[in-house]
Amino acid sequence: MDQQDIRRELGLRPIINVSGTMTSLGASIVVPEAVAAVAGILPQFVEIDHLQKKASQVIARLCNTEAGFVTASCSAAITLAVAGAMTGPDLAAVERLPDTTGLKNEVLIQTGHMVSYGAPVEQGIRLSGARVVPVGQATSAHAYQLKGAITERTAAAVYVVSHHTVQYGLIPLDEFVAICHAHGVPVIVDAASEYDLTGFLATGADIALYSSHKFLGGPTGGIVAGKTELVRAAYLQNSGIGRGMKIGKEGMVGTIAALEAWEKRDHAGIRERETGYLKLWQDTLNGRPGITALIEPDPTHNPLDRLKVFVEPQEAHITAWDLADALASGSIPVIVRDHEVEHGFFYMDPCNLHSGQEAIVARRLVEELEKARQSNEVIATSLERRRNRREEALKKWPH
Ligand SMILES: *Cc1c(COP(=O)(O)O)cnc(C)c1O
């Protein structure tokens, strides 16, 4: 793989991703079936509505639902699904958005679901012209609050399933759906990173949204799946606000191929391989001064474990964030999952590795930990500066 690594030709760092499926790192390793499909369609013309009908059949089969289509991203899918709930099949209303005059335009979402996946969930709702109506507080929401927020202007309710959201004190999906449906309000589930293609719709939710480029290993894209009428209304937005969220034929066939590959994938075999990586890293780390590594299940119950690596700075001679930064530097940068690093730990995600990279990762861990131990002082840089680093870099981009 190394000899023909396009990243070197482009002058880009050959990073190893143990962070997860992150847009900022190029999402995921696209499965060979999708790579072949993308290459196959690129030189050809197709009738896009027909291709989307084909996508609908495949999505319907895998999600055990009625219909579906492919759009630019799950973020786009949120906007289009909400827009469809407002306009229905009214093509004139589709062209008027984001002006929602005369339409139901309130969209409910639990406050604890108003998270950022790199952009705010609620902005994806507002982009359609809808007005966001938060339900409950950051760490609690109750049935009476949801009922009390429903008015004659309510167009839809959005429910987010993600490790980003508050994981306690909120309304479970089945109860959320029951309350919304009792008042005629459709429920749109943002399940961008969830492996479960059928369970959310099985609760009765009207639409479920997924990313093509996360667990599925497709090219960048978003999947809208669910009941025909609402899916069609969302699809119609392609002649309106959806135009700027357009996906090409390559994204459509790539997503179809990734879904079909998912159906045939050796899920147990992959899990076993990933567990092997975690055990290797755990064995490499445990027993080293100041380091404790534990295997932890995914917080939203995806069939995936991660290694949680605690770093005790006085013993390890380095903080968790400085270790993360040290791993991310050098000629083979290893990018760990550092969302919560201020608490003194980071995670290592095994699902985006080419075989052989697990050993390189283990070697890099040893290198950096041994280097730190040889330091006479504890390596501890300012967390505040680290927190502001991305903003600083963005302000200087493209320099
Ligand atoms: C990743 C993610 C999104 C956005 O998905 P894209 O396809 O990358 O736009 C939306 N919601 C959640 C919960 C996500 O994790």
Side-chain angles (χ1 to χ4, degrees), residues 37 118 187 198 388:
V187 176
T198 57
N388 297 327

Side-chain angles (χ1 to χ4, degrees), residues 21-23 27 71-78 113 115-121 159-165 190-194 209-214 220-223:
T21 46
M22 316 284 293
T23 287
T71 182
S73 61
C74 187
S75 187
I78 295 170
H113 283 184
V115 296
S116 174
Y117 47 75
V121 169
Y159 194 100
V160 182
V161 184
S162 167
H163 66 88
H164 290 298
T165 67
D190 170 6
S193 314
E194 303 307 299
L209 311 173
Y210 297 91
S211 294
S212 305
H213 49 274
K214 292 184 176 173
T220 296
I223 295 168

